[in-house]
Amino acid sequence: VEANVHRWVQRHGWDRAAGHYERFWGRQLQPATDLVLRTADLQPGERVVDVACGSGAVAVPAALAVGPTGRVLATDLSPVMVAALGERLARCALSNVAVEVQGAEDFDRDSEFDVALCSLGLMYMPRPDLAARALARALRPGGRVVLAVWGERHRCGWAEIFPIVDAHVSSDVCPMFFGLGARGALRALLADTGFVDVRDERLDVELVYVSEEDALGAAFAGGPVALAWSRFDDEARRSAADEYLSSIAEFADGTSYRVPGQFVVAAGRRPG
Ligand SMILES: C[S@@+](CC[C@H](N)C(=O)[O-])C[C@H]1O[C@@H](n2cnc3c(N)ncnc32)[C@H](O)[C@@H]1O
């Protein structure tokens, strides 16, 4: 039951965040996106699945990399995110991408893909192990998996967003968010799922917010707490915004902010 509530909160949160996501997060997540794609080393003709695809930060360049003889299946829990990706695909006239609304844990394909990707999605899943298992099953023997999550909590300067929002809604919006970012955790998830040649890489970045509005938009409107935020009254919004800005005050640089962040990218191979 708890897992279902959790997924419901995520689904509706991301539905709300979808319209703000690219503006506030597109550029900030680019280093993680690039590392995922570099690690995946996609080849022309390959079949790729990208779960928790959002509006296609990874799926779109993946489709370009595999070219017209390859294909990408992109899935996400949020119908609004999937619709945003559909519009983007139409705009760039990419015809080798199929999109589906689906939770990553429910992905049910057998040995159909050369490469499985999930970039910055597993932190929101109550059972990331189920998603990892689904990806393993979907890969052909020898197929590659590449996953990305946020890294260690103390390396992510924006982390106070969660306790600040939780205090206003008296619940945990993202209870297991930093679990997979701990040293070795993502590698262990892959190894426990049966992947081999497992490795990982950490990437420290700076999230640059040009203004308070930019920092607040990314934290509250464009991300996983968007559902809670949409329900706050003006007073709760003001106080949560003040609390968040004080939590990142040490990273202020004039009128902008340079907030540290860390990503982990892990990769492995299905045996066989
Ligand atoms: C931070 S966004 C990442 C999107 C994209 N991969 C990227 O790198 O920009 C997180 C995405 O995970 C999706 N998500 C959350 N829980 C999910 C689940 N259980 N199954 C599939 N997608 C999920 C959200 O809807 C959202 O689009």
Side-chain angles (χ1 to χ4, degrees):
V1 171
E2 222 166 274
N4 283 337
V5 170
H6 196 83
R7 272 173 37 131
W8 188 93
V9 168
Q10 285 303 312
R11 184 232 137 136
H12 291 276
W14 287 105
D15 277 352
R16 280 170 204 272
H20 307 282
Y21 183 70
E22 270 177 64
R23 164 169 166 222
F24 287 116
W25 285 105
R27 197 170 43 83
Q28 311 281 18
L29 300 181
Q30 194 69 49
T33 307
D34 290 346
L35 183 56
V36 165
L37 289 162
R38 234 176 13 253
T39 307
D41 190 25
L42 300 175
Q43 301 299 314
E46 286 192 312
R47 302 156 298 171
V48 179
V49 57
D50 177 27
V51 299
C53 64
S55 54
V58 168
V60 168
L64 294 169
V66 299
T69 59
R71 63 183 171 83
V72 176
L73 174 58
T75 71
D76 195 283
L77 188 61
S78 155
V80 182
M81 277 291 194
V82 169
L85 173 54
E87 281 164 29
R88 193 164 161 189
L89 293 171
R91 273 200 309 276
C92 26
L94 270 174
S95 56
N96 60 343
V97 185
V99 296
E100 270 175 32
V101 176
Q102 192 176 46
E105 306 90 330
D106 306 322
F107 192 66
D108 190 15
R109 302 288 186 108
D110 207 347
S111 309
E112 280 180 44
F113 297 92
D114 302 298
V115 182
L117 307 173
C118 182
S119 190
L120 304 174
L122 293 166
M123 304 85 56
Y124 307 109
M125 297 176 199
R127 295 285 308 273
D129 58 314
L130 295 182
R133 222 181 297 165
L135 293 182
R137 194 171 50 240
L139 284 172
R140 66 162 167 81
R144 287 117 60 210
V145 64
V146 181
L147 310 175
V149 296
W150 286 94
E152 291 180 291
R153 190 180 205 288
H154 73 277
R155 298 269 186 185
C156 293
W158 49 269
E160 283 305 300
I161 186 70
F162 295 121
I164 289 168
V165 169
D166 290 348
H168 285 270
V169 294
S170 324
S171 70
D172 277 350
V173 176
C174 271
M176 49 295 148
F177 192 88
F178 287 107
L180 289 171
R183 297 257 151 204
L186 197 57
R187 269 199 332 257
L189 176 71
L190 287 179
D192 293 347
T193 310
F195 286 104
V196 294
D197 298 341
V198 172
R199 61 197 196 277
D200 72 1
E201 195 173 330
R202 268 166 207 272
L203 182 65
D204 287 287
V205 297
E206 261 184 354
L207 309 172
V208 180
Y209 299 118
V210 295
S211 62
E212 287 186 353
E213 190 203 21
D214 194 22
L216 292 171
F220 291 104
V225 304
L227 181 63
W229 176 249
S230 73
R231 294 177 170 183
F232 284 4
D233 60 23
D234 286 348
E235 197 189 316
R237 282 189 183 200
R238 245 187 326 269
S239 86
D242 285 347
E243 288 164 44
Y244 181 65
L245 289 177
S246 5
S247 81
I248 59 168
E250 62 183 295
F251 309 118
D253 177 12
T255 55
S256 57
Y257 292 85
R258 309 180 75 84
V259 181
Q262 186 184 66
F263 302 109
V264 190
V265 173
R269 195 170 52 78
R270 181 176 168 181

